[in-house]
Amino acid sequence: MRIFISADMEGATGVVQWEQVDKPERDYAFGRRMQIHDVKAVIDGALSAGADEIIVNDSHDYMINIPADELSFDSRVRLLSGASKKLSMVEGLKGADAAFFVAYHAKAGTERAILDHTMNSSSIFSVVLNGREVGETGLNAAVCAVEKVPVALVTGDAAVCSEARGLLGDGLVTACVKVAHSRTAADCMLPENSGRILREAAALAVERARTGTASIMEIGDGTFDLRITFQNSSQCDSAERIPGTERVDGRTIRVIGGDMTAMIRWVLTLS
Ligand SMILES: [Zn+2]
């Protein structure tokens, strides 16, 4: 069984502020350490439950947060490192039996959610896909759905776990490692405890993937209507110059198509 792991950082154990996830900042070393901690725990759980191939896609910012030597403890693990990647956070997904979204964060505008945003917090106010507001979890889960890959596990704070269950239903396993009190403060599980929970959740997720009870997001008939609302109208002025976009209002652009991988590329391009 091949497991694809998309590894972000904002939802990692103990991470609560931008300084901990931004490469030039001193506290980035902590965020990186915690992302690696959570990814390793999930890998450990997946391997113990019988996964025989794991692809980790480093999905945060410059996408070189996880050094290859950190994952060299098991030859069944591969690392997709660096940017840019055409499908960004879900690059390398094709052919996987299940996807795990690790250390994810809630969509832009979520109340009490650590570092909530969607792709780019300075440009994107909201993203609506086929009438439903989505964040990175929803966008990436939609690509997984097109590839017929179930999303079996989402880890992060309570807000992203709740958002993911709303999109993916009961087949999804979630592992909550912190409960936000605000956008930049949370009641955090200590790594020793979160590591145990992440391992158990990953093992259960592999089991659900094996038994065919993991979730695939409902995406309708394969026609995609994507609406991106920007933070301000001048960002929308720039976006409407791109052929194929349609201006909806002062801050919103719409793109329609039948290819979800193209939709995620639109979000990446427009953000
Ligand atoms: Zn990130």
Side-chain angles (χ1 to χ4, degrees):
M1 172 171 294
R2 184 194 290 183
I3 302 295
F4 170 81
I5 297 177
S6 174
D8 207 351
M9 190 184 285
E10 290 86 342
T13 301
V15 168
V16 293
Q17 299 204 349
W18 294 112
E19 289 75 10
Q20 297 167 327
V21 300
D22 193 8
K23 196 157 167 262
E25 303 286 343
R26 192 191 56 187
D27 290 340
Y28 164 74
F30 170 76
R32 178 184 217 185
R33 202 160 68 237
M34 290 297 98
Q35 180 198 32
I36 293 165
H37 167 273
D38 287 11
V39 168
K40 278 181 159 174
V42 165
I43 291 173
D44 196 27
L47 291 175
S48 74
D52 41 33
E53 190 181 355
I54 294 183
I55 299 163
V56 178
N57 179 24
D58 193 335
S59 297
H60 175 72
D61 207 5
Y62 297 97
M63 303 184 171
I64 48 168
N65 312 286
I66 305 170
D69 58 356
E70 285 284 354
L71 302 184
S72 63
F73 56 89
D74 196 297
S75 60
R76 292 169 287 184
V77 181
R78 281 159 45 207
L79 175 66
L80 193 44
S81 182
S84 64
K85 293 177 283 210
K86 192 170 164 188
L87 293 180
S88 190
M89 302 177 83
V90 283
E91 181 89 6
L93 170 79
K94 218 177 179 59
D97 296 297
F100 291 0
F101 296 167
V102 174
Y104 265 45
H105 53 82
K107 68 178 189 280
T110 305
E111 186 181 347
R112 284 174 234 287
I114 290 299
L115 306 179
D116 64 295
H117 67 279
T118 301
M119 298 295 185
N120 183 340
S121 55
S122 59
S123 61
I124 293 188
F125 181 81
S126 67
V127 175
V128 174
L129 181 67
N130 291 356
R132 177 161 57 175
E133 192 175 342
V134 289
E136 294 170 24
T137 301
L139 288 165
N140 293 331
V143 177
C144 291
V146 168
E147 296 294 339
K148 308 231 180 326
V149 177
V151 179
L153 175 69
V154 173
T155 86
D157 68 1
V160 75
C161 289
S162 160
E163 178 183 323
R165 283 192 299 272
L167 293 164
L168 289 148
D170 292 340
L172 177 72
V173 179
T174 56
C176 170
V177 300
K178 56 196 172 191
V179 178
H181 288 207
S182 70
R183 195 185 193 204
T184 50
D187 183 343
C188 301
M189 217 173 251
L190 300 183
E192 188 184 348
N193 295 327
S194 70
R196 181 173 44 77
I197 280 175
L198 290 163
R199 269 189 292 278
E200 289 171 3
L204 177 61
V206 167
E207 194 49 42
R208 294 226 178 134
R210 181 182 291 116
T211 54
T213 50
S215 301
I216 293 186
M217 195 172 113
E218 187 54 58
I219 51 165
D221 64 358
T223 307
F224 300 101
D225 180 326
L226 179 77
R227 288 163 196 249
I228 297 179
T229 299
F230 293 92
Q231 297 286 359
N232 64 59
S233 56
S234 72
Q235 292 165 332
C236 204
D237 293 342
S238 301
E240 77 168 342
R241 285 196 222 113
I242 302 172
T245 62
E246 177 194 329
R247 185 93 176 228
V248 174
D249 60 32
R251 294 192 301 151
T252 305
I253 281 286
R254 179 186 187 204
V255 181
I256 297 171
D259 179 356
M260 186 56 215
T261 62
M263 291 297 131
I264 203 129
R265 282 150 57 204
W266 271 116
V267 178
L268 295 165
T269 303
L270 293 169
S271 70

